[in-house]
Amino acid sequence: MPQVSAVRFPYASYLRVYEPLGAFPQPERGRWERYAHEGEPPGCEEEQRARPAAVPAPLPDPGRESEDAFVLWSGDTPLICPWTIRLRCWEALGESAGLFPPAVLDAALPPAVREAAEAEHARHLERHPDARAWIRQAAWSVPLSWFVLVGDEDREYDRGADGEPPLLRYRTPMAQARRRVARGLRALRDSVAAADPAERGERQAGGPLVTGLVDVGRWLEEFHPRALVELDYGGLVHVLPPEMLDADRSAADVASGIRALAVGDDVVAGEAYARLVERWRAVRERQFAN
């Protein structure tokens, strides 16, 4: 059985960007520098506690932005990933309309409450047009476009022991992530362009992957070129059995498929895609299990 944390983690994965101090303007830069050196920064459990505590029911966002961040050290240099919980709550609210039936959404968050939050979000963007979140989240899955950013050599897996939960994540430099996005998009688009007209519609069924890759590529462009990108399985490790985590090589499968498309090998590309679809269908189906 997977280890269970004292904090109830959502079954979600995360894509995070950690930026060097030079990416932040003053006085924010000085504040993050002091924050990084003041002691042990909070971790994932603290962030999970902060999110529900920060959102007073029935409001869909906290009253003010979080002042905490994840911190990684590259030698003597701290890399900062602000939590931006309030901004992420607003963004999640905007996405919720497509995830729930209207009656369910209205019962959980009445229209008047959502409208007030949306108006506050709009005012925030007017005051802070460059506002962005350093963290993206996906429930019960890892978007396939995220795997394009990382390689199998970036994979870190720890089964967990002595009460520690398992961990599965990838970390890669921003420059490498951007190169992989560019190569992936080129291979996918060239594959569609090279297809026979009769097959082109079927090839374009991969359009969601292209759309997701364009979106995440644009997001990455907002950050410092010396940032670090982290793909974290997050709470998924608490619901997936160790043998499934052991065998998961999704980044390798994505890379294999893209390489195959680049040389016109549809058979290998199709096999890699089939492995990915089957693996992540099995993960998503667990949300309906007792």
Side-chain angles (χ1 to χ4, degrees):
M1 291 290 292
Q3 296 288 338
V4 178
S5 169
V7 177
R8 196 172 185 84
F9 281 84
Y11 296 135
S13 60
Y14 301 90
L15 190 63
R16 304 185 183 103
V17 173
Y18 295 79
E19 291 195 282
L21 290 172
F24 299 92
Q26 292 289 11
E28 189 179 4
R29 182 188 309 171
R31 187 175 77 81
W32 287 129
E33 185 170 19
R34 291 189 297 274
Y35 180 91
H37 287 89
E38 280 175 352
E40 186 67 25
C44 294
E45 289 194 5
E46 287 81 1
E47 191 225 6
Q48 295 300 326
R49 291 190 185 98
R51 272 195 272 172
V55 184
L59 298 179
D61 67 82
R64 60 184 179 84
E65 189 53 275
S66 168
E67 297 181 352
D68 286 303
F70 294 119
V71 179
L72 287 180
W73 288 88
S74 177
D76 295 329
T77 303
L79 300 174
I80 308 296
C81 177
W83 289 356
T84 54
I85 289 175
R86 191 183 196 202
L87 181 59
R88 289 160 57 201
C89 285
W90 280 326
E91 291 177 350
L93 177 65
E95 296 166 359
S96 63
L99 298 176
F100 303 101
V104 173
L105 186 60
D106 289 348
L109 290 171
V113 173
R114 299 203 306 274
E115 289 168 7
E118 290 164 359
E120 182 59 28
H121 185 198
R123 286 192 292 270
H124 178 80
L125 292 179
E126 287 179 4
R127 296 190 297 268
H128 308 282
D130 296 328
R132 68 320 182 36
W134 281 257
I135 303 173
R136 289 190 166 193
Q137 175 177 327
W140 286 100
S141 186
V142 179
L144 296 187
S145 59
W146 291 8
F147 285 116
V148 178
L149 278 56
V150 297
D152 194 60
E153 66 274 19
D154 303 317
R155 186 177 186 268
E156 302 175 31
Y157 175 54
D158 186 340
R159 292 174 65 98
D162 300 324
E164 290 296 320
L167 176 148
L168 178 53
R169 69 186 176 204
Y170 298 78
R171 287 175 174 171
T172 196
M174 175 64 75
Q176 180 70 287
R178 288 176 178 171
R179 282 194 293 269
R180 287 168 173 151
V181 168
R183 286 197 297 265
L185 281 173
R186 184 165 56 248
L188 288 164
R189 288 167 170 165
D190 288 350
S191 173
V192 172
D196 292 334
E199 300 177 352
R200 197 161 292 166
E202 183 178 345
R203 294 286 185 92
Q204 288 176 334
L209 177 56
V210 174
T211 300
L213 200 50
V214 168
D215 176 61
V216 77
R218 288 174 176 166
W219 182 63
L220 293 182
E221 290 297 328
E222 298 180 7
F223 299 101
H224 195 281
R226 294 187 180 177
L228 183 140
V229 179
E230 177 182 76
L231 192 168
D232 184 357
Y233 273 47
L236 294 181
V237 300
H238 297 282
V239 71
L240 301 180
E243 59 271 18
M244 193 169 184
L245 294 171
D246 280 336
D248 188 309
R249 286 295 191 279
S250 293
D253 285 334
V254 167
S256 173
I258 288 174
R259 285 194 301 269
L261 285 178
V263 298
D265 191 337
D266 291 349
V267 173
V268 171
E271 290 172 349
Y273 184 71
R275 287 194 298 272
L276 287 160
V277 169
E278 180 60 29
R279 181 179 303 132
W280 289 103
R281 179 188 294 121
V283 175
R284 285 191 294 270
E285 286 175 350
R286 288 173 177 266
Q287 66 183 300
F288 304 112
N290 291 329

